[in-house]
Amino acid sequence: MNSKKYLIANWKMNKTVEESVTFTRELLKNSKLYKNEVIICPTFLSLDAMRETCLKNGIKLGAQNCHFEVQGAFTGEISAEMLRSLGVEYVILGHSERRNYFGESDEIINKKVKAALESGLKVILCIGETWEQRNNGQKLDVLNNQLKFGLKDLNSEMLKKIIIAYEPVWAIGTGKIVTEKEISDVSHNIEKFISAEFKTNFKCSFIYGGSVDVSNVEKFLSLSCVDGVLIGGASLNADKFMNIINISENLNKI
Ligand code: PGA
C-alpha cells in the first residue's frame, strides 16, 4: 500500500485551548514527519494556539464548520476566509451532529461547501444514514441525495478538493461498526454517482468514520477503496491517536 492516507481527528466540542496545546505537545513528543496526512480539527478557539507547532511538524489543521458568507451580520459565526487566514487547510461540513442538532439542510451545507472551496479550503463532506433509514432500505437513496444536493453546482475540478466521509449516524460514538463489504459497496456507489452526475472518471477521496479506534483502524485502512479515517472519541487521547497514526504509518511501509 503506497498511497497517502488521511487521519482526521474530529475533536467536536472538547478540550480547552490549554488542553489542546498540551495534546499537541504530547503527540509531538517523538516528533517526526508523517507520510500520511494527519489533520486535527479542534474547536475554533484552539486553532490559533495549535497553529505554529502543528504546521511546523507537518500536521494540518481543520475546522469543524464554517459559515457560507465571507463576513457580515451573522452573530456567532466564523467564515471560511477567516479560517483560511489562520492557516487552516480543511473544514468538516455536513457532519450528522450539525445536520441533526443545528438543523443544517443539504442546501445550507452546499452553500458552505461552495464558500469553503472559494476560500481555498479543502472540504471533508460527511454523509451517512440513520439506523431507521438503513432498516427501511433507504440507505443508498439517503447517501445519494446528500451527495446530489451537497455537491450541487460544483464542477469536476472542484471535486479534487473534496473528501467524502461516509459516517453512518448509528456508528458514531456507539462502538458499532459496518462491515468491510458495506464500506466497499458505499464507495463503489459514490464512484458511480460521481461518474453519472459529473461525467468524469475522477475518483473523490473516500474516508470512513464511526467508532474508529486502535483496534479496528487497520481493518479500515487496509481496504483499497478507503483513503483514510475520521476519528472522534479515539482522537481525544494523545496515546490512542499516536497509536492510530503509527498503525497507518506501518501499513504504508508494506
Ligand atoms: P466517533 O466519531 O469516532 O467518536 O464515532 C466520529 C465522528 O463523529 O466524526
Side-chain angles (χ1 to χ4, degrees), residues 10 12 95 97 167 171-174 209-212 230-234:
N10 176 11
K12 311 190 181 188
H95 191 282
E97 286 150 19
E167 294 209 302
I172 295 177
T174 59
S211 297
V212 174
L230 183 51
I231 316 149

Side-chain angles (χ1 to χ4, degrees), residues 101-253:
Y101 305 145
F102 303 98
E104 287 194 15
S105 62
D106 286 313
E107 192 190 347
I108 292 176
I109 293 161
N110 178 246
K111 283 186 177 180
K112 292 185 173 193
V113 169
K114 289 192 273 194
L117 294 177
E118 263 161 42
S119 299
L121 293 176
K122 294 174 196 141
V123 171
I124 301 153
L125 176 66
C126 301
I127 58 170
E129 82 287 356
T130 62
W131 186 250
E132 199 187 354
Q133 290 163 335
R134 174 190 175 84
N135 286 338
N136 291 340
Q138 297 171 307
K139 184 178 88 180
L140 292 185
D141 286 344
V142 168
L143 299 180
N144 282 349
N145 260 325
Q146 289 174 344
L147 284 177
K148 185 177 170 70
F149 295 106
L151 299 176
K152 191 165 165 267
D153 302 329
L154 265 58
N155 59 41
S156 52
E157 243 343 88
M158 289 162 150
L159 292 181
K160 296 182 180 155
K161 304 273 194 270
I162 305 266
I163 298 170
I164 296 174
Y166 173 48
E167 294 209 302
V169 180
W170 51 271
I172 295 177
T174 59
K176 293 184 189 157
I177 48 170
V178 296
T179 63
E180 288 105 306
K181 159 108 177 54
E182 220 178 309
I183 296 175
S184 301
D185 289 348
V186 168
S187 156
H188 185 61
N189 177 66
I190 294 173
E191 261 177 61
K192 260 179 31 198
F193 173 86
I194 298 281
S195 127
E197 197 77 9
F198 292 88
K199 314 278 176 269
T200 171
N201 290 329
F202 178 73
K203 188 185 165 302
C204 268
S205 295
F206 171 77
I207 64 174
Y208 171 76
S211 297
V212 174
D213 65 26
V214 180
S215 67
N216 59 27
V217 68
E218 181 168 349
K219 183 170 80 177
F220 298 125
L221 292 178
S222 302
L223 292 172
S224 60
C225 62
V226 170
D227 298 306
V229 283
L230 183 51
I231 316 149
S235 73
L236 290 170
N237 176 291
D239 287 338
K240 278 193 190 168
F241 191 49
M242 193 65 232
N243 262 329
I244 289 176
I245 295 174
N246 286 337
I247 291 169
S248 76
E249 292 290 300
N250 287 335
L251 275 175
N252 223 343
K253 280 188 198 141

Side-chain angles (χ1 to χ4, degrees), residues 90-106:
Y90 294 86
V91 61
I92 300 173
L93 294 174
H95 191 282
S96 62
E97 286 150 19
R98 299 287 327 163
R99 293 178 191 263
N100 297 337
Y101 305 145
F102 303 98
E104 287 194 15
S105 62
D106 286 313

